[in-house]
Amino acid sequence: MTDNSVPLEPGDFDAALIQRLIRTKHPDAEVESMKIVDAALSSDGAQKVSTARRIAVEVGYGPSAPDHWPQRLIVKVARPGLGDIPLYANEVNVYAHLGDELPVNTPMCLGAYHDAPSSSFGLVLEDLRPRDAAFPSVLSKTSVSDVRMLLDQFA
């Protein structure tokens, strides 16, 4: 990120970039290592639609990092070719300013950055897959117990 943009390709990510993104919320954070686990353009595969690319990384933090910070992270970045759509700024603002206060389960957000001139953003979120989270699509069947669980979160 020599300019203010966030790269779109996983091969352009390193520990320094992850650290810079995390420092948007935690200015003293240190990231000592980073390894890409996987990456996907969210429309890869059947029935998946999204405006973002996801890059899963494992990180090693410096000694001052809190113990509760996850080592598996998802970095969401802009989808190539879309330009600066309002959803990017909105999602970054929700995670940066409201995410910790929302009364529903959300992934921990360690960093949130948006740069309109370069049409880029970067969200550093907890990877929920190690907790066996489900990611249904609009075509997934929903049971009564699923709806109850959702309503309990909103109540």
Side-chain angles (χ1 to χ4, degrees), residues 13-76:
F13 277 70
D14 59 17
L17 174 62
I18 301 298
Q19 177 174 285
R20 183 170 172 193
L21 290 171
I22 291 175
R23 283 185 173 178
T24 61
K25 286 193 71 164
H26 305 280
D28 298 325
E30 292 181 18
V31 175
E32 295 180 342
S33 63
M34 187 258 352
K35 178 179 95 172
I36 294 176
V37 176
D38 63 46
L41 193 56
S42 294
S43 61
D44 294 345
Q47 305 166 358
K48 295 181 183 178
V49 178
S50 179
T51 58
R53 169 172 272 152
R54 292 180 332 274
I55 302 166
V57 298
E58 286 183 359
V59 297
Y61 301 106
S64 63
D67 290 338
H68 69 278
W69 280 9
Q71 291 184 320
R72 286 279 305 262
L73 303 172
I74 294 290
V75 183
K76 290 182 70 174

Side-chain angles (χ1 to χ4, degrees), residues 85-146:
I85 60 176
L87 181 62
Y88 295 159
N90 293 342
E91 187 172 10
V92 166
N93 281 327
V94 165
Y95 278 106
H97 304 292
L98 299 174
D100 298 335
E101 300 174 29
L102 293 173
V104 295
N105 290 327
T106 59
M108 177 188 294
C109 178
L110 276 75
Y113 175 79
H114 174 251
D115 183 60
S118 66
S119 300
S120 68
F121 81 103
L123 274 173
V124 181
L125 305 170
E126 167 191 14
D127 186 347
L128 296 175
R129 293 177 296 179
R131 290 203 272 156
D132 295 326
F135 300 95
S137 76
V138 295
L139 300 175
S140 301
K141 292 185 180 194
T142 304
S143 69
V144 172
S145 67
D146 293 335

